[in-house]
Amino acid sequence: MPKLKTHRGAAKRFSLTANGKVKRSKAFASHILTKKTTKRKRTLRKSTLVDSANQREIKKLIPYL
């Protein structure tokens, strides 16, 4: 069976934790920041986990990470 290709767009956006969960960064943090509160912007800097409903699909896109 041939090797699987990694989806490069997904590889740049997601990574795997030690337990095999998928980690992602939060959206809405790149521009139009003046109207967002400091607390909201601080929370957007942190990473979070992908929802369990989407985890299996994302893991197919990044098989070797």
Side-chain angles (χ1 to χ4, degrees):
M1 193 167 161
K3 290 188 214 175
L4 298 171
K5 285 199 173 186
T6 301
H7 190 289
R8 297 312 295 165
K12 292 167 189 174
R13 289 168 173 84
F14 303 104
S15 60
L16 292 178
T17 63
N19 290 328
K21 296 177 181 176
V22 184
K23 193 167 66 169
R24 68 170 177 89
S25 57
K26 293 184 180 172
F28 307 110
S30 57
H31 63 110
I32 317 178
L33 297 172
T34 51
K35 63 175 79 169
K36 295 171 186 160
T37 63
T38 309
K39 180 181 176 182
R40 183 176 168 194
K41 289 185 279 190
R42 189 167 58 243
T43 310
L44 289 172
R45 284 200 293 266
K46 299 172 183 173
S47 61
T48 185
L49 296 177
V50 169
D51 192 66
S52 58
N54 302 319
Q55 256 191 12
R56 192 166 56 177
E57 288 298 318
I58 303 236
K59 281 185 177 182
K60 284 181 187 175
L61 297 174
I62 49 172
Y64 303 113
L65 295 186

Coordinates of all heavy atoms in Angstrom, one line a residue:
M1 N 0.8 -1.2 0.0 CA 0.0 0.0 0.0 C 0.9 1.2 0.0 O 1.9 1.3 0.8 CB -0.9 0.0 1.3 CG -2.0 1.0 1.2 SD -3.2 0.6 2.5 CE -4.0 2.2 2.6
P2 N 0.6 2.3 -0.8 CA 1.5 3.4 -0.9 C 1.4 4.3 0.3 O 0.4 4.2 1.1 CB 0.9 4.2 -2.1 CG -0.5 3.7 -2.3 CD -0.5 2.3 -1.8
K3 N 2.4 5.1 0.5 CA 2.3 6.1 1.6 C 1.2 7.1 1.4 O 0.9 7.4 0.3 CB 3.7 6.8 1.7 CG 4.8 6.0 2.1 CD 6.0 6.9 2.3 CE 7.3 6.2 1.9 NZ 8.4 7.1 2.0
L4 N 0.7 7.6 2.5 CA -0.3 8.7 2.5 C 0.4 10.0 2.5 O 1.4 10.2 3.1 CB -1.2 8.6 3.8 CG -2.0 7.3 3.9 CD1 -2.6 7.3 5.3 CD2 -3.0 7.2 2.9
K5 N -0.2 10.9 1.8 CA 0.3 12.3 1.7 C -0.3 13.1 2.8 O -1.5 13.0 3.1 CB 0.1 13.0 0.4 CG 1.0 12.4 -0.7 CD 1.0 13.4 -1.9 CE 2.1 12.9 -2.9 NZ 2.2 13.9 -4.0
T6 N 0.5 13.9 3.5 CA 0.0 14.8 4.5 C -0.7 16.0 3.9 O -0.1 16.6 2.9 CB 1.1 15.3 5.4 OG1 1.7 14.1 6.0 CG2 0.6 16.2 6.5
H7 N -1.8 16.4 4.3 CA -2.5 17.6 3.8 C -1.7 18.8 4.4 O -1.8 19.1 5.6 CB -3.9 17.6 4.3 CG -4.8 18.7 3.7 ND1 -4.6 20.1 4.0 CD2 -5.7 18.7 2.7 CE1 -5.5 20.8 3.3 NE2 -6.2 20.0 2.5
R8 N -1.0 19.5 3.6 CA -0.1 20.6 4.1 C -0.8 21.7 4.8 O -0.3 22.3 5.7 CB 0.8 21.1 3.0 CG 1.7 20.0 2.3 CD 2.5 19.2 3.4 NE 3.4 20.0 4.1 CZ 4.0 19.6 5.3 NH1 3.7 18.4 5.8 NH2 4.9 20.3 5.9
G9 N -2.0 22.1 4.3 CA -2.7 23.1 4.9 C -3.1 22.7 6.3 O -3.1 23.6 7.2
A10 N -3.5 21.5 6.5 CA -3.9 21.0 7.8 C -2.7 20.9 8.7 O -2.8 21.1 9.9 CB -4.6 19.7 7.7
A11 N -1.6 20.5 8.2 CA -0.3 20.3 9.0 C 0.1 21.7 9.6 O 0.7 21.7 10.6 CB 0.8 19.7 8.1
K12 N -0.1 22.8 8.9 CA 0.2 24.1 9.4 C -0.7 24.6 10.4 O -0.3 25.5 11.2 CB 0.3 25.1 8.2 CG 1.4 24.8 7.2 CD 1.2 25.6 5.9 CE 2.2 25.1 4.9 NZ 2.0 25.8 3.6
R13 N -1.9 24.0 10.5 CA -2.9 24.5 11.4 C -3.1 23.6 12.7 O -3.6 24.1 13.7 CB -4.2 24.7 10.7 CG -4.3 25.8 9.7 CD -5.5 25.7 8.8 NE -5.6 26.9 8.0 CZ -5.0 27.1 6.8 NH1 -4.2 26.1 6.4 NH2 -5.1 28.2 6.1
F14 N -2.8 22.4 12.6 CA -3.1 21.4 13.6 C -1.8 20.7 14.0 O -0.9 20.5 13.2 CB -4.1 20.4 13.2 CG -5.4 21.0 12.8 CD1 -5.7 21.1 11.4 CD2 -6.3 21.5 13.7 CE1 -6.9 21.6 11.0 CE2 -7.5 22.0 13.3 CZ -7.8 22.1 11.9
S15 N -1.8 20.3 15.3 CA -0.7 19.4 15.8 C -1.3 18.4 16.8 O -2.4 18.6 17.3 CB 0.4 20.2 16.4 OG -0.1 20.9 17.5
L16 N -0.6 17.3 17.1 CA -1.1 16.3 18.0 C -0.5 16.5 19.3 O 0.7 16.8 19.5 CB -0.8 14.9 17.4 CG -1.5 14.5 16.1 CD1 -1.1 13.1 15.7 CD2 -3.0 14.5 16.3
T17 N -1.3 16.2 20.4 CA -0.8 16.2 21.7 C -0.2 14.8 22.0 O -0.2 13.9 21.2 CB -1.9 16.5 22.8 OG1 -2.8 15.4 22.7 CG2 -2.5 17.8 22.5
A18 N 0.4 14.7 23.2 CA 1.1 13.4 23.5 C 0.0 12.3 23.7 O 0.3 11.1 23.5 CB 1.8 13.6 24.9
N19 N -1.2 12.6 24.0 CA -2.3 11.7 24.2 C -3.0 11.4 22.9 O -4.0 10.6 22.9 CB -3.2 12.1 25.3 CG -2.6 12.0 26.6 OD1 -1.8 11.2 26.9 ND2 -3.0 12.9 27.5
G20 N -2.6 12.0 21.8 CA -3.3 11.8 20.5 C -4.4 12.7 20.2 O -5.1 12.5 19.2
K21 N -4.7 13.7 21.0 CA -5.7 14.7 20.7 C -5.2 15.7 19.7 O -4.0 15.9 19.6 CB -6.2 15.4 22.0 CG -6.9 14.4 22.9 CD -7.3 15.1 24.2 CE -7.9 14.1 25.2 NZ -8.2 14.7 26.5
V22 N -6.1 16.4 19.0 CA -5.7 17.4 18.0 C -5.7 18.8 18.6 O -6.8 19.2 19.2 CB -6.5 17.3 16.8 CG1 -6.0 18.2 15.7 CG2 -6.6 15.9 16.2
K23 N -4.6 19.5 18.5 CA -4.5 20.9 19.1 C -4.7 21.9 17.9 O -4.2 21.6 16.8 CB -3.2 21.0 19.8 CG -3.0 22.2 20.6 CD -1.8 22.1 21.5 CE -0.5 22.2 20.7 NZ 0.7 22.3 21.5
R24 N -5.3 23.0 18.2 CA -5.5 24.0 17.2 C -5.4 25.4 17.9 O -5.5 25.5 19.1 CB -6.9 23.9 16.6 CG -8.0 24.3 17.5 CD -9.3 24.4 16.8 NE -10.4 24.6 17.7 CZ -10.9 25.8 18.1 NH1 -10.2 26.9 17.7 NH2 -11.9 25.9 19.0
S25 N -5.1 26.4 17.1 CA -5.2 27.8 17.6 C -6.5 28.4 17.3 O -7.3 28.0 16.5 CB -4.1 28.6 16.9 OG -4.2 28.6 15.5
K26 N -6.8 29.4 18.1 CA -8.2 30.0 18.0 C -8.2 31.0 16.9 O -7.2 31.6 16.5 CB -8.5 30.7 19.3 CG -8.7 29.7 20.4 CD -9.2 30.3 21.7 CE -9.3 29.3 22.8 NZ -9.6 29.9 24.1
A27 N -9.4 31.2 16.4 CA -9.6 32.2 15.3 C -9.9 33.6 15.8 O -10.1 33.8 17.0 CB -10.8 31.7 14.4
F28 N -10.1 34.5 14.9 CA -10.5 35.9 15.2 C -9.4 36.7 16.0 O -9.7 37.7 16.6 CB -11.8 36.0 16.0 CG -12.9 35.2 15.3 CD1 -13.4 34.0 15.9 CD2 -13.4 35.6 14.1 CE1 -14.4 33.3 15.3 CE2 -14.5 34.9 13.5 CZ -14.9 33.8 14.1
A29 N -8.1 36.4 15.8 CA -7.1 37.1 16.6 C -6.1 37.8 15.7 O -5.1 38.4 16.2 CB -6.3 36.1 17.4
S30 N -6.4 37.9 14.4 CA -5.4 38.5 13.5 C -5.6 40.0 13.1 O -4.6 40.7 13.0 CB -5.4 37.7 12.2 OG -6.7 37.7 11.6
H31 N -6.8 40.5 13.1 CA -7.0 41.9 12.8 C -8.4 42.3 13.4 O -9.1 41.5 14.0 CB -7.0 42.1 11.2 CG -8.1 41.4 10.5 ND1 -9.2 42.0 9.9 CD2 -8.3 40.1 10.3 CE1 -10.0 41.1 9.3 NE2 -9.5 39.9 9.6
I32 N -8.6 43.6 13.2 CA -9.8 44.3 13.9 C -9.8 44.0 15.4 O -10.7 43.5 16.0 CB -11.2 43.8 13.3 CG1 -11.1 43.8 11.7 CG2 -12.3 44.8 13.7 CD1 -12.3 43.3 11.1
L33 N -8.6 44.3 16.0 CA -8.4 44.0 17.4 C -8.8 45.2 18.3 O -8.9 45.0 19.5 CB -6.9 43.6 17.6 CG -6.5 42.4 16.9 CD1 -5.0 42.2 17.0 CD2 -7.2 41.2 17.4
T34 N -9.0 46.3 17.8 CA -9.3 47.5 18.7 C -10.6 47.4 19.4 O -10.7 47.8 20.5 CB -9.2 48.8 17.8 OG1 -10.1 48.7 16.7 CG2 -7.8 49.1 17.4
K35 N -11.6 46.8 18.7 CA -12.9 46.7 19.4 C -13.0 45.5 20.3 O -14.0 45.3 21.0 CB -14.0 46.6 18.3 CG -13.9 45.4 17.4 CD -15.1 45.4 16.5 CE -15.0 46.4 15.3 NZ -16.0 46.2 14.3
K36 N -12.0 44.6 20.3 CA -12.1 43.4 21.2 C -11.4 43.8 22.5 O -10.4 44.5 22.6 CB -11.3 42.3 20.5 CG -12.0 41.8 19.3 CD -11.2 40.8 18.5 CE -11.9 40.5 17.2 NZ -11.1 39.9 16.2
T37 N -12.0 43.2 23.6 CA -11.5 43.5 24.9 C -10.1 42.9 25.1 O -9.8 41.9 24.5 CB -12.5 43.1 26.0 OG1 -12.6 41.7 25.9 CG2 -13.8 43.7 25.8
T38 N -9.4 43.4 26.1 CA -8.1 42.8 26.4 C -8.2 41.4 26.9 O -7.4 40.5 26.5 CB -7.4 43.6 27.5 OG1 -7.4 45.0 27.1 CG2 -6.0 43.2 27.7
K39 N -9.2 41.1 27.7 CA -9.4 39.7 28.2 C -9.7 38.8 27.0 O -9.2 37.6 27.0 CB -10.6 39.7 29.1 CG -10.9 38.4 29.7 CD -12.1 38.4 30.7 CE -12.5 37.1 31.2 NZ -13.6 37.1 32.1
R40 N -10.5 39.2 26.0 CA -10.8 38.4 24.9 C -9.6 38.1 24.1 O -9.4 37.0 23.6 CB -11.9 39.1 24.1 CG -12.4 38.2 22.9 CD -13.5 39.0 22.2 NE -13.9 38.4 20.9 CZ -14.6 39.0 20.0 NH1 -15.1 40.1 20.2 NH2 -14.8 38.4 18.8
K41 N -8.8 39.1 23.8 CA -7.6 38.9 23.0 C -6.6 38.0 23.7 O -5.9 37.2 23.1 CB -6.9 40.3 22.7 CG -7.7 41.1 21.7 CD -7.0 42.4 21.4 CE -7.2 43.5 22.4 NZ -6.6 44.8 22.0
R42 N -6.5 38.1 25.0 CA -5.6 37.3 25.8 C -6.0 35.8 25.7 O -5.2 34.9 25.6 CB -5.6 37.8 27.3 CG -4.5 37.1 28.1 CD -4.4 37.8 29.5 NE -5.6 37.9 30.2 CZ -6.2 39.1 30.5 NH1 -5.7 40.2 30.1 NH2 -7.3 39.1 31.2
T43 N -7.3 35.6 25.8 CA -7.9 34.2 25.6 C -7.6 33.7 24.2 O -7.4 32.5 24.1 CB -9.4 34.2 25.9 OG1 -9.6 34.9 27.2 CG2 -9.9 32.8 26.1
L44 N -7.7 34.5 23.2 CA -7.5 34.0 21.8 C -6.0 33.6 21.6 O -5.8 32.9 20.6 CB -7.9 35.2 20.9 CG -9.4 35.5 20.7 CD1 -9.6 36.7 19.9 CD2 -10.1 34.3 20.1
R45 N -5.1 34.1 22.4 CA -3.7 33.7 22.2 C -3.5 32.2 22.6 O -2.5 31.6 22.1 CB -2.8 34.6 23.1 CG -2.6 35.9 22.5 CD -1.3 36.6 23.1 NE -1.4 36.9 24.5 CZ -1.8 38.1 25.0 NH1 -2.1 39.0 24.2 NH2 -1.8 38.2 26.3
K46 N -4.3 31.7 23.5 CA -4.1 30.3 23.9 C -4.6 29.3 22.9 O -5.5 29.6 22.1 CB -4.8 30.1 25.2 CG -4.4 31.0 26.3 CD -5.2 30.9 27.6 CE -4.8 31.9 28.6 NZ -5.7 31.9 29.7
S47 N -4.0 28.1 22.9 CA -4.4 27.1 22.0 C -5.5 26.3 22.7 O -5.7 26.3 23.9 CB -3.3 26.2 21.6 OG -2.7 25.6 22.8
T48 N -6.2 25.5 21.9 CA -7.3 24.7 22.4 C -7.4 23.4 21.7 O -6.6 23.2 20.7 CB -8.7 25.4 22.4 OG1 -9.7 24.6 23.0 CG2 -9.1 25.7 20.9
L49 N -8.2 22.5 22.1 CA -8.4 21.2 21.4 C -9.5 21.2 20.4 O -10.5 21.9 20.5 CB -8.6 20.1 22.4 CG -7.5 19.8 23.4 CD1 -8.0 18.8 24.4 CD2 -6.3 19.4 22.8
V50 N -9.3 20.4 19.3 CA -10.4 20.3 18.3 C -11.5 19.5 18.9 O -11.3 18.6 19.7 CB -9.8 19.6 17.1 CG1 -10.9 19.2 16.1 CG2 -8.8 20.5 16.4
D51 N -12.8 19.8 18.6 CA -13.9 19.1 19.1 C -13.9 17.7 18.7 O -13.4 17.3 17.6 CB -15.2 19.8 18.5 CG -16.4 19.3 19.2 OD1 -16.6 19.6 20.4 OD2 -17.2 18.6 18.6
S52 N -14.4 16.8 19.5 CA -14.3 15.4 19.3 C -15.0 14.9 18.0 O -14.7 13.9 17.4 CB -14.8 14.6 20.5 OG -16.2 15.0 20.7
A53 N -16.0 15.7 17.6 CA -16.8 15.4 16.4 C -15.9 15.5 15.1 O -16.1 14.9 14.1 CB -18.0 16.3 16.3
N54 N -14.9 16.4 15.2 CA -14.0 16.7 14.0 C -12.7 16.0 14.1 O -11.9 16.0 13.2 CB -13.8 18.2 13.9 CG -15.1 18.9 13.7 OD1 -16.0 18.4 13.0 ND2 -15.3 20.0 14.4
Q55 N -12.3 15.4 15.3 CA -11.0 14.9 15.5 C -10.6 13.8 14.5 O -9.5 13.8 14.0 CB -10.8 14.3 16.9 CG -10.1 15.3 17.8 CD -9.7 14.6 19.1 OE1 -9.9 13.4 19.3 NE2 -9.2 15.5 20.0
R56 N -11.5 12.9 14.2 CA -11.1 11.7 13.3 C -10.8 12.2 11.9 O -9.9 11.7 11.3 CB -12.3 10.7 13.3 CG -11.9 9.4 12.7 CD -12.9 8.3 13.0 NE -14.2 8.7 12.5 CZ -15.3 7.9 12.6 NH1 -15.1 6.7 13.2 NH2 -16.4 8.3 12.2
E57 N -11.6 13.2 11.4 CA -11.3 13.7 10.0 C -10.0 14.4 10.0 O -9.2 14.3 9.0 CB -12.4 14.7 9.6 CG -13.8 14.0 9.3 CD -13.6 13.0 8.1 OE1 -13.0 13.3 7.1 OE2 -14.2 11.9 8.3
I58 N -9.6 15.2 11.0 CA -8.4 15.9 11.0 C -7.2 14.9 11.1 O -6.2 15.1 10.5 CB -8.4 16.9 12.1 CG1 -9.6 17.8 12.0 CG2 -7.0 17.7 12.2 CD1 -9.5 19.2 11.9
K59 N -7.4 13.9 11.9 CA -6.3 12.9 12.0 C -6.0 12.2 10.7 O -4.9 11.8 10.4 CB -6.6 11.9 13.1 CG -6.4 12.4 14.5 CD -6.6 11.3 15.5 CE -6.3 11.8 16.9 NZ -6.5 10.7 17.9
K60 N -7.0 12.1 9.8 CA -6.8 11.5 8.5 C -5.9 12.4 7.7 O -5.2 11.9 6.8 CB -8.1 11.2 7.8 CG -8.9 10.0 8.3 CD -10.2 9.9 7.5 CE -11.0 8.8 8.1 NZ -12.4 8.7 7.4
L61 N -6.0 13.7 7.8 CA -5.3 14.7 7.0 C -3.8 14.8 7.5 O -3.0 15.1 6.7 CB -5.9 16.0 7.1 CG -7.4 16.2 6.6 CD1 -7.9 17.6 6.9 CD2 -7.4 15.9 5.1
I62 N -3.6 14.5 8.7 CA -2.2 14.6 9.2 C -1.8 13.2 9.8 O -1.6 13.0 11.0 CB -2.1 15.7 10.3 CG1 -3.1 15.6 11.4 CG2 -2.1 17.0 9.7 CD1 -3.0 16.5 12.5
P63 N -1.5 12.2 9.0 CA -1.3 10.8 9.4 C 0.1 10.7 10.2 O 0.2 9.8 11.0 CB -1.4 10.0 8.2 CG -1.1 10.9 7.1 CD -1.6 12.3 7.5
Y64 N 1.1 11.5 9.8 CA 2.4 11.2 10.4 C 2.8 12.2 11.4 O 4.0 12.2 11.8 CB 3.4 11.1 9.2 CG 3.0 10.1 8.2 CD1 2.7 10.4 6.9 CD2 3.0 8.7 8.6 CE1 2.3 9.5 6.0 CE2 2.7 7.8 7.6 CZ 2.3 8.1 6.4 OH 2.0 7.2 5.5
L65 N 2.0 13.1 11.8 CA 2.4 14.2 12.7 C 2.3 13.7 14.2 O 1.6 12.8 14.5 CB 1.6 15.5 12.5 CG 1.8 16.2 11.2 CD1 1.1 17.5 11.2 CD2 3.3 16.4 11.0

